[in-house]
Amino acid sequence: MTRFDLFAEDALYGTQGFYTQLGTAGTDGADFVTSPETSPLFGACVAAYLDQVWHDMECPEPFVVIEGGSGTGTLCRDIFLSAQDCSKALRYVMVERSDRQREIAFSRVTTTCFADSEEVPLAVLQDLPAGPFTGVVVANELLDNLPPRIVRKATTGWLELHVENGAEVWYPAPQPAEDMASAMAPNASIGATLPLHLKGAVWVNRAMKLLDRGRILTFDYGLESSEMFDGRPLGEWLRTYKDHRRAGTPYSDPGTCDITCDVAFDQLPGSPTICLQSDWLASKGLGTMTEWAQEKWQDSAASPDSTAVAARQVLTEAAALTDRTGLGAFLVAEWQIGD
Ligand SMILES: C[S@@+](CC[C@H](N)C(=O)[O-])C[C@H]1O[C@@H](n2cnc3c(N)ncnc32)[C@H](O)[C@@H]1O
């Protein structure tokens, strides 16, 4: 038997793991779609945010942006393509665990964004670098991919999820896990199940220690621990995906699908400010960025030319990013480090 987080770690990142072998974000032949893959407008809003932070911090140089779980580099590419005041000071580090995605990302971003591939302000690493840096650590849909431990309240105390022969089994939780579960869910009823995001908390902690001054910004689906266990079955917040569709249980055929968990943000260290992605994007100028498309589509909807069709595509993408039943309901958490 294997503890669930160790099982999921291997199923995602082991030698036969989903991310090691196949898993990519995107629209074409990929397994799931993320905000950067939905529209370059997402990267443009993050670029506007970076500019805002850079000015607030009195224009540090270098201004280091570290992206955790950068996948195939789409967000990085779109940030570099959205030229901003901070561009000259920007040094970008993509941190991606999958060797294959790191290779794709570096070549994609350098060939798309830079004429001279010898002089790119870009590095690609397997793990977070050693600091300290002044700048921003950003991550889209990383925390949900850091496998949690999972516990369930029973009459005898807390049990912990394990996987044995392709099936879930529950064993008494060790004392530290039991203590953490009791602290996060003191009023849990019998049968309540919740994730313990130890890896997510460690990642945020490491990101905080990386910066002498700056911000951490994460985008992910999530809620509070209390909402998680409040009658929501395990399969609702621990999900699997393959080929753009929900897949079956995570226990059989490990390595063939993504395993992802809603993030209980109250388990992360520090005191981030949290808002909905739809509101955050609006605050970074999404409305202004799409005004031209709105006007063009209104004027030409009756007999659309190619620009009007492109405008409608932009509006469709903006709607997807802000849809409050989808990506727009993601939570954006921001930690301020130093001034
Ligand atoms: C859901 S994908 C998101 C990719 C990209 N950020 C996007 O939004 O399209 C999560 C990515 O995080 C990577 N990852 C998981 N754990 C990581 C870690 N500890 N450090 C760096 N990357 C990690 C995975 O390999 C995967 O590419």
Side-chain angles (χ1 to χ4, degrees):
M1 54 130 185
T2 312
R3 211 174 66 195
F4 173 77
D5 59 316
L6 303 176
F7 167 85
E9 183 75 18
D10 197 47
L12 292 174
Y13 309 112
T15 45
Q16 300 299 315
F18 177 75
Y19 281 105
T20 316
Q21 300 279 326
L22 340 133
T24 50
T27 46
D28 203 10
D31 295 286
F32 49 87
V33 184
T34 58
S35 294
E37 302 295 343
T38 297
S39 173
L41 288 165
F42 183 78
C45 287
V46 176
Y49 165 82
L50 293 177
D51 231 21
Q52 205 173 35
V53 172
W54 186 65
H55 281 294
D56 286 352
M57 292 174 65
E58 295 173 349
C59 313
E61 191 157 356
F63 181 54
V64 179
V65 174
I66 299 168
E67 185 190 350
S70 45
T72 52
T74 306
L75 177 60
C76 173
R77 180 199 65 189
D78 292 341
I79 288 172
F80 275 115
L81 291 178
S82 310
Q84 301 290 326
D85 297 348
C86 68
S87 295
K88 280 212 170 113
L90 192 60
R91 305 286 178 276
Y92 204 104
V93 183
M94 291 191 278
V95 180
E96 170 52 57
R97 197 167 168 174
S98 145
D99 295 345
R100 181 170 160 249
Q101 301 206 46
R102 270 202 316 283
E103 270 170 39
I104 297 172
F106 190 73
S107 119
R108 255 181 109 204
V109 179
T110 45
T111 52
T112 318
C113 305
F114 302 103
D116 180 355
S117 59
E118 301 292 310
E119 293 279 327
V120 292
L122 180 69
V124 192
L125 302 175
Q126 189 173 23
D127 194 10
L128 291 171
F133 297 108
T134 299
V136 174
V137 179
V138 63
N140 185 68
E141 291 202 40
L142 168 69
L143 298 173
D144 68 88
N145 261 155
L146 303 179
R149 292 173 70 169
I150 294 180
V151 289
R152 174 169 289 168
K153 181 90 177 271
T155 45
T156 49
W158 288 90
L159 304 177
E160 179 159 12
L161 177 59
H162 290 69
V163 181
E164 197 167 336
N165 300 326
E168 66 177 58
V169 277
W170 297 86
Y171 288 102
Q175 196 62 47
E178 172 141 9
D179 291 347
M180 183 172 170
S182 303
M184 296 321 304
N187 304 317
S189 45
I190 303 301
T193 309
L194 81 154
L196 299 178
H197 294 289
L198 281 96
K199 287 188 173 65
V202 166
W203 187 86
V204 172
N205 223 348
R206 289 181 68 198
M208 288 166 113
K209 293 212 169 95
L210 256 185
L211 297 174
D212 54 7
R213 275 189 323 137
R215 311 279 185 275
I216 302 168
L217 186 74
T218 68
F219 301 82
D220 234 307
Y221 27 85
L223 17 77
E224 300 264 304
S225 300
S226 57
E227 294 174 271
M228 218 106 177
F229 67 75
D230 204 3
R232 292 182 71 214
L234 174 60
E236 207 176 291
W237 46 263
L238 181 76
R239 295 181 295 274
T240 57
Y241 288 92
K242 177 159 180 53
D243 301 330
H244 281 287
R245 287 203 202 94
R246 287 283 291 272
T249 78
Y251 314 120
S252 51
D253 295 331
T256 59
C257 61
D258 190 16
I259 303 173
T260 173
C261 182
D262 284 1
V263 178
F265 275 82
D266 57 324
Q267 293 184 18
L268 302 177
S271 309
T273 55
I274 296 184
C275 69
L276 289 179
Q277 174 163 308
S278 54
D279 295 334
W280 189 88
L281 291 172
S283 76
K284 299 301 164 259
L286 184 68
T288 315
M289 289 175 200
T290 54
E291 252 165 28
W292 73 271
Q294 197 81 44
E295 283 163 17
K296 178 72 194 166
W297 181 245
Q298 260 161 18
D299 291 349
S300 327
S303 54
D305 57 12
S306 59
T307 318
V309 172
R312 188 178 55 177
Q313 174 64 20
V314 165
L315 296 175
T316 306
E317 291 174 8
L321 288 175
T322 52
D323 174 7
R324 290 197 181 205
T325 63
L327 293 173
F330 275 36
L331 297 180
V332 185
E334 184 192 40
W335 288 258
Q336 178 162 342
I337 313 295
D339 56 8

